[in-house]
């Protein structure tokens, strides 16, 4: 048995065998003894596209060889969970793994995102025992020679891991100190994954759906807007291949968010772009938003289907199953339509022309980024306050739907120009808005879903022989959604009052009166 207190090092062998480097560093107090033959493994590190494991302090590594196919999940604290599984193909959801502690640990982290290879390497692994003066094994040494997969065997410095045998941690710490003081042995500053990603020109967390741009108050407004729009275009393009492959539903979601943000940026700030640009591209991005809508609407139902079915009272999940089959069939058809659209010349020309337009030189004169941010955030905030204040218990649903759109525009503006604001003040302003947005979003979603369930039921009756029990179960779903809608409508007044409070308005005024106004 070994204890999990490893010490990790990088070896600069300069042509010498790693064993000789280690032997020289530990002599004469300790001796080393090779254990078994070297093993060759194929190493694959897995994470979601948006690095959810990395963000949770977890690393998932697959070791595959002639006799082994193990998945090991390691936490920042060194705790490990391991499972053996052969024949798995990635990308796939975590539930592709066999049932057990590893899958149970991964699923709450990855949720609806697929695990996919983030780095691959070939490793030659040698193990050695460290013997003390009594010739007792006090520690294990593991020397790993790594070569990047797909990089013509590009090698990385050998790595050494020292792990104590139970009861010999103190002596193992002494071994680690001897190694640290030796020439050619350096404590590892990064994990093997970090080194392999760096050699491949990547780093953990190199994708995010957030608008993580850095603007300055004095930069020209047009240039600031182009920086934001280029970042959104990068996000859009990054999600296209796996949206087409249908790797997981979040690729389409992130693509759609990038499109919505782009449309809002063009609408709200497009007047700082060259004449005619906003008009030329706004219609094309509307088309792109429209062609991605049907499949996303179906995803919302399918992602929440198990919960909906489990919540039935008068009906059973089995009686609702025809509805599930209908959703799956519709999604398959819409998936083919979306793939055709994303392969189309219209889409490819749009992306090419938009990137070319955004890369054009921007003038050095004109209003500043800070002035643009203050003006547009101020306008959007006043519009939300005015329209929200006009809503009464008798107002039609359309008035709340319109207010939700205005809230979303304000939220996007806050995201575009976040780097110009004090982080604490910005976060609190977003929090003030989010409560109102959540209420309005719940209200609209419930209205749309009730309408769609009726539409689905009518279509199912037209296309196939539907059991009456399935229609009754769908009716129960619609009834439950209607109750959620009424609850959101009742909560609106309190949510808007919080957003319109003097304290919240003071925060927004502070955001729109900063440097560069």
């Amino acid at each position: 048995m070994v204890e999990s207190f490893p010490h990790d090092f990088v070896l600069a062998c300069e042509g010498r065998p790693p064993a000789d480097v280690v032997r020289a560093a530990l002599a004469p107090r300790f001796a080393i003894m090779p254990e078994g033959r070297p093993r060759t493994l194929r190493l694959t590190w897995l994470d979601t596209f948006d690095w959810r494991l990395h963000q949770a302090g977890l690393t998932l590594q697959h070791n595959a060889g002639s006799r082994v196919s193990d998945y090991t999940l390691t936490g920042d604290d060194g705790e490990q969970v391991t499972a053996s599984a052969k024949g798995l193909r990635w990308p796939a959801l975590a539930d592709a793994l066999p049932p057990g502690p590893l899958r149970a640990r991964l699923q709450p982290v990855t949720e609806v995102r697929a695990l996919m290879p983030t780095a691959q390497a070939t490793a030659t692994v040698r193990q050695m025992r460290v013997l003390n003066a009594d010739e007792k094994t006090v520690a294990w040494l593991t020397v790993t020679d790594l070569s990047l997969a797909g990089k013509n065997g590009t090698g990385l410095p050998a790595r050494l891991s020292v792990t104590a045998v139970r009861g010999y941690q103190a002596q193992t710490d002494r071994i680690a100190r001897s190694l640290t003081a030796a020439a050619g042995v350096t404590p590892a500053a990064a994990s093997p994954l970090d080194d392999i990603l760096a050699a491949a020109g990547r780093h953990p967390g190199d994708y995010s759906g957030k608008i993580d741009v850095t603007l300055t108050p004095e930069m020209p407004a047009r240039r600031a807007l182009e920086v934001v729009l280029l970042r959104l275009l990068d996000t859009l393009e990054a999600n296209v291949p796996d949206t087409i492959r249908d790797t997981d539903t979040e690729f389409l979601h992130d693509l759609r968010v990038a499109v919505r943000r782009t449309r809002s940026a063009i609408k709200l700030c497009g007047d700082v772009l060259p004449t005619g640009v906003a008009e030329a591209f706004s219609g094309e991005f509307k088309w792109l938003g429209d062609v991605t809508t049907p499949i996303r609407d179906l995803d919302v139902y399918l992602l929440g289907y198990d919960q909906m079915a489990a919540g039935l009272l008068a009906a059973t999940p089995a009686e609702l199953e025809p509805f599930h089959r209908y959703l799956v069939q519709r999604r398959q058809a819409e998936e083919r339509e979306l793939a055709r659209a994303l392969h189309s010349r219209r889409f490819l020309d749009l992306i090419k022309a938009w990137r070319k337009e955004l890369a054009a030189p921007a003038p050095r004169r004109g209003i500043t980024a800070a002035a643009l941010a203050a003006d547009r955030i101020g306008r959007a905030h006043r519009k939300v306050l005015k329209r929200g204040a006009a809503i009464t218990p008798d107002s039609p649903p359309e008035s709340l739907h319109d207010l939700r759109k205005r809230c979303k525009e304000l939220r996007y503006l806050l995201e575009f120009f976040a780097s110009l604001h004090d982080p604490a003040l910005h976060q609190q302003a977003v929090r003030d808005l989010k409560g109102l947005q959540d209420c309005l979003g719940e209200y609209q979603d419930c209205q749309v879903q009730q309408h769609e369930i009726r539409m689905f039921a009518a279509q199912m009756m037209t296309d196939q022989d539907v059991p009456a029990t399935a229609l009754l179960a769908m009716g129960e779903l619609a009834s439950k959604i209607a109750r959620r809608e009424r609850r959101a409508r009742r909560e609106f007044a309190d949510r808007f009052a919080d957003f319109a409070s003097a304290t919240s308005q003071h925060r927004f005024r502070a955001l729109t009166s900063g440097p560069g106004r």
Side-chain angles (χ1 to χ4, degrees):
M1 292 291 291
V2 297
E3 297 178 348
S4 57
F5 298 97
H7 299 272
D8 294 318
F9 300 89
V10 175
L11 302 178
C13 298
E14 298 179 352
R16 292 186 295 165
D20 290 352
V21 175
V22 176
R23 187 175 287 110
L26 299 183
R29 180 174 295 180
F30 298 98
I32 65 171
M33 181 73 66
E35 182 74 13
R37 296 180 178 181
R39 294 177 299 148
T40 298
L41 298 174
R42 297 183 305 277
L43 308 184
T44 302
W45 285 267
L46 300 160
D47 206 332
T48 63
F49 189 66
D50 54 0
W51 297 94
R52 295 190 180 189
L53 297 186
H54 172 73
Q55 292 169 9
L58 300 170
T59 302
L60 178 61
Q61 180 176 321
H62 178 217
N63 297 340
S66 59
R67 297 182 180 180
V68 64
S69 181
D70 292 335
Y71 292 84
T72 301
L73 183 68
T74 306
D76 283 345
D77 57 1
E79 181 182 356
Q80 293 187 335
V81 182
T82 301
S84 296
K86 292 184 177 181
L88 302 183
R89 302 186 65 179
W90 307 102
L93 297 178
D95 57 14
L97 289 161
L102 177 64
R103 190 169 87 176
R105 181 71 179 86
L106 284 169
Q107 284 177 320
V109 181
T110 59
E111 296 179 321
V112 297
R113 297 240 65 164
L115 289 164
M116 54 200 313
T118 57
Q120 295 177 307
T122 300
T124 301
V125 182
R126 300 173 177 85
Q127 281 201 312
M128 296 173 281
R129 292 184 290 136
V130 183
L131 309 179
N132 64 8
D134 297 329
E135 297 188 350
K136 291 184 177 180
T137 301
V138 296
W140 288 92
L141 303 181
T142 304
V143 177
T144 305
D145 292 304
L146 293 171
S147 297
L148 260 66
K151 289 287 184 177
N152 299 319
T154 302
L156 294 169
R159 298 184 69 96
L160 170 67
S161 179
V162 186
T163 308
V165 171
R166 185 182 297 276
Y168 290 97
Q169 185 66 47
Q171 291 196 46
T172 302
D173 293 340
R174 190 176 302 119
I175 292 169
R177 289 193 293 270
S178 297
L179 289 168
T180 301
V185 184
T186 307
S191 69
L193 173 59
D194 290 333
D195 287 345
I196 291 168
L197 286 172
R202 299 189 62 190
H203 61 85
D206 57 8
Y207 170 81
S208 170
K210 297 179 180 178
I211 310 174
D212 51 356
V213 298
T214 301
L215 309 178
T216 61
E218 299 79 13
M219 70 191 305
R222 174 177 158 187
R223 183 57 194 153
L225 180 60
E226 288 173 345
V227 168
V228 170
L229 290 169
L230 279 168
R231 178 68 182 88
L232 292 172
L233 180 55
D234 289 342
T235 300
L236 191 161
E237 286 192 286
N239 285 280
V240 169
D242 284 282
T243 295
I244 293 173
R245 288 191 284 263
D246 198 26
T247 299
D248 68 45
T249 58
E250 288 300 286
F251 286 100
L252 174 61
H253 175 262
D254 281 8
L255 187 154
R256 281 177 51 79
V257 170
V259 171
R260 287 202 305 267
R261 287 168 168 164
T262 298
R263 292 181 62 192
S264 291
I266 293 173
K267 174 185 175 182
L268 300 170
C269 304
D271 56 310
V272 304
L273 296 172
T275 302
V277 169
E279 293 77 6
F281 286 94
S282 60
E284 288 302 283
F285 278 105
K286 181 182 185 302
W287 162 78
L288 184 55
D290 289 344
V291 299
T292 60
T293 294
I295 190 169
R296 181 59 191 175
D297 288 348
L298 292 165
D299 281 344
V300 170
Y301 282 101
L302 288 168
L303 289 170
Y305 179 83
D306 289 343
Q307 183 177 359
M308 288 191 301
L312 291 171
L313 297 177
T316 67
E319 290 171 331
L320 191 63
E321 181 58 27
F323 180 45
H324 183 261
R325 289 197 298 269
Y326 172 78
L327 292 173
V328 171
Q329 292 168 1
R330 279 284 302 271
R331 191 188 187 283
Q332 291 171 344
E334 294 295 346
E335 181 187 341
R336 292 190 291 270
E337 290 298 319
L338 177 59
R340 278 194 284 269
L342 295 180
H343 279 303
S344 70
R345 176 54 54 188
R346 181 176 184 178
F347 173 74
L348 298 176
D349 287 346
L350 166 60
I351 298 304
K352 182 178 179 180
W354 186 232
R355 187 171 290 281
K356 180 180 179 180
E357 182 62 48
L358 297 178
R364 297 180 178 272
R365 298 181 179 180
I367 66 169
T368 65
L372 177 67
D375 178 66
R376 302 308 154 90
I377 291 174
R379 287 190 198 183
H381 182 239
R382 290 190 294 273
K383 190 173 291 185
V384 170
L385 289 175
K386 180 178 179 181
R387 298 196 182 189
I391 293 176
T392 69
D394 298 325
S395 296
E398 291 75 18
S399 61
L400 278 82
H401 298 340
D402 178 73
L403 179 62
R404 178 175 182 256
K405 294 177 183 178
R406 305 291 82 79
C407 286
K408 187 170 291 187
E409 290 174 353
L410 176 56
R411 176 70 171 270
Y412 288 158
L413 286 167
L414 290 172
E415 293 172 346
F416 298 158
F417 300 112
S419 58
L420 299 177
H421 302 138
D422 171 76
L425 182 64
H426 175 267
Q427 290 172 10
Q428 187 57 57
V430 170
R431 195 174 297 118
D432 291 342
L433 178 60
K434 186 177 183 300
L436 178 58
Q437 271 192 291
D438 290 345
C439 178
L440 291 168
E442 172 77 353
Y443 180 73
Q444 182 173 3
D445 290 347
C446 288
Q447 284 226 321
V448 170
Q449 288 173 11
Q450 289 178 81
H451 170 74
E452 288 180 337
I453 287 177
R454 296 187 186 97
M455 181 185 67
F456 290 150
Q459 191 67 44
M460 290 168 64
M461 293 174 66
T462 301
D463 296 345
Q464 53 189 273
D465 184 18
V466 186
T469 52
L471 298 176
L472 290 172
M474 293 172 67
E476 184 181 344
L477 282 184
S479 177
K480 292 171 72 70
I481 293 171
R483 288 196 293 272
R484 285 169 43 208
E485 176 202 331
R486 290 193 291 271
R487 182 168 61 248
R489 184 65 180 85
R490 290 193 301 268
E491 291 175 358
F492 166 74
D494 290 338
R495 295 294 184 94
F496 180 75
D498 290 340
F499 176 76
S501 68
T503 301
S504 178
Q505 291 194 52
H506 175 76
R507 274 192 281 267
F508 275 90
R509 283 195 297 271
L511 284 179
T512 56
S513 60
R517 170 80 166 111

